[in-house]
Amino acid sequence: MENPDAAPKNSDATADRILDVAEGLLQRRGYHAVSYSDLADALDLTTAAIHYHYPSKADLGQALVRRYRRANAQERAAIVAQTEDLRGRLRAYVALYAEILENGGFCLCGGLAAAESALPEAVQREVRRFFADQEDWLTTIVAEGETDPAGLSGCETSREVAALFLAAVEGAMLTSRHRPSAPEAYRDALQNLIDTITG
């Protein structure tokens, strides 16, 4: 399996700028609502310049999700390094997604997953890897947190708790997104679940 922490081999400033703009647009509009023309206009480039770095939209999407996975892995590593208890780690994890809402966006991979069947296979694979990364990490910290999975109705293992929590993290983004105080509503909804998990 590829290491999401590994830096891209052929990266330059223009390629990074394209990914920066693409990520913001996709988080707000969705994969199919963003074209190379949109990116060219936002970056004051030609579409040919974008095709030079990312020949197809599948190439762009794959590179974008790989970078997103890499950044998220670094953020999760920082959470573990800076926070020892499970409650603090889960709250810090939720804060990552609340910040996206504060900026008017949606989890990149959550948005892509909603249209997964229409995505290129290469992009689908990266999105699946993102969610596998999350579930594996959450399973680890729940297990290390010495919480009783049975305390959460219907969950018998740390992985079941992790899967439920991840589903709530992503789903609550969708249900909270259009509320006037979306980030606060999001945090409140997930805090209730964190309280249940950590007792």
Side-chain angles (χ1 to χ4, degrees), residues 72-73 75-81 83 86 88-94 96-97 130-144 158-159 162 165:
N72 182 271
E75 290 168 335
R76 286 184 282 109
I79 288 173
V80 170
T83 313
L86 178 60
R89 288 177 174 179
L90 293 178
R91 291 187 69 172
Y93 183 71
V94 167
L96 297 178
Y97 294 88
F130 172 84
F131 287 112
D133 294 342
Q134 308 310 303
E135 188 172 312
D136 287 347
W137 182 79
L138 286 167
T139 298
T140 298
I141 67 166
V142 168
E144 290 175 351
S158 295
R159 184 162 293 277
F165 190 74

